[in-house]
C-alpha cells in the first residue's frame, strides 16, 4: 500500500490529476435551475434548516425541500410539512419537476436511497454533507459507503 501511495505522489501523476480537475466543467453546479435540499428541517439552528434557509433566500432558481423521515410538525397530506410556505416532500420522487442539483444532509442510512431517487429525477450535481459512513466503524456505515460509491461511479 505504501508503494502504491508513493506512486500517486509522483510529479507526473499529480500534474495529470490537477490538469484533469482544471478542465472539469463545474458550471452546471452553479447554473442549475432547480435544487432539492434533502434533510430540510423546520428546526432553527439545525444543519437542515441552515442549508434550506440559505438556498431559499439566496438561490435564484427553484428550491424543493425533502425530509425522508417526515419529522416536521406541520403535516399536510402529501408531504412532511412546510418550510418557508413551501411543502416538504417525503421523497425526491414526489417533487413535481426535474431536479438539476441536490444537497443531501441526512443520516447515512437514508443517504443511498435519497441519492438513487435524486439520480432518477435527473440530478447531475450532488453535494453530500456526510455522516454515519465508514467513520462509524459499523457494518451498516461501511455498507452504506460502498453502495454510495457504487452509485457515484455508475
Amino acid at each position: 500500500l505504501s508503494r502504491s501511495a508513493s506512486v500517486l505522489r509522483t510529479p507526473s501523476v499529480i500534474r495529470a490529476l490537477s490538469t484533469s480537475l482544471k478542465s472539469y466543467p463545474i458550471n452546471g453546479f452553479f447554473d442549475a435551475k432547480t435544487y432539492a435540499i434533502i434533510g430540510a428541517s423546520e428546526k432553527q439552528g439545525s444543519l437542515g434548516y441552515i442549508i434550506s434557509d440559505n438556498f431559499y433566500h439566496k438561490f435564484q432558481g427553484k428550491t424543493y425541500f425533502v425530509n425522508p423521515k417526515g419529522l416536521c410538525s406541520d403535516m399536510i397530506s402529501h408531504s412532511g410539512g412546510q418550510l418557508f410556505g413551501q411543502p416538504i416532500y417525503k421523497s425526491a420522487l414526489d417533487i413535481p419537476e426535474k431536479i438539476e442539483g441536490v444537497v443531501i444532509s441526512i443520516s447515512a442510512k437514508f443517504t443511498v436511497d435519497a441519492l438513487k431517487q435524486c439520480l432518477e429525477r435527473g440530478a447531475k450535481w450532488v453535494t453530500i454533507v456526510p455522516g454515519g459512513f465508514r467513520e462509524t466503524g459499523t457494518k451498516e456505515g461501511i455498507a452504506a459507503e460502498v453502495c454510495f460509491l457504487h452509485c457515484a461511479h455508475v
Side-chain angles (χ1 to χ4, degrees):
L1 180 64
S2 61
R3 181 173 164 84
S4 299
S6 65
V7 170
L8 291 176
R9 291 189 204 125
T10 64
S12 61
V13 172
I14 292 170
R15 195 174 315 106
L17 288 172
S18 63
T19 301
S20 65
L21 291 175
K22 284 181 185 176
S23 64
Y24 186 78
I26 63 167
N27 55 329
F29 179 84
F30 298 104
D31 295 340
K33 305 270 188 284
T34 56
Y35 259 88
I37 310 303
I38 314 296
S41 174
E42 294 176 319
K43 184 178 176 185
Q44 290 189 14
S46 70
L47 187 58
Y49 181 87
I50 292 167
I51 293 169
S52 299
D53 182 55
N54 278 325
F55 266 84
Y56 182 76
H57 289 102
K58 296 176 182 173
F59 177 57
Q60 299 298 310
K62 177 70 175 163
T63 304
Y64 291 98
F65 303 117
V66 178
N67 189 315
K69 295 189 287 183
L71 294 177
C72 300
S73 60
D74 183 19
M75 300 301 284
I76 58 177
S77 62
H78 68 285
S79 73
Q82 290 191 345
L83 185 59
F84 307 116
Q86 296 190 145
I88 300 175
Y89 298 95
K90 289 187 179 181
S91 166
L93 298 175
D94 297 332
I95 295 173
E97 67 178 290
K98 181 180 175 181
I99 303 167
E100 294 181 12
V102 180
V103 176
I104 299 176
S105 177
I106 55 177
S107 170
K109 66 182 177 182
F110 301 112
T111 298
V112 173
D113 286 338
L115 175 62
K116 288 177 181 177
Q117 292 172 7
C118 292
L119 294 173
E120 190 174 319
R121 296 293 294 135
K124 300 292 183 210
W125 305 98
V126 179
T127 301
I128 297 180
V129 182
F133 289 96
R134 182 175 302 275
E135 80 280 359
T136 64
T138 64
K139 290 179 185 177
E140 296 82 9
I142 293 168
E145 182 174 310
V146 168
C147 190
F148 165 75
L149 290 172
H150 173 73
C151 289
H153 295 307
V154 172

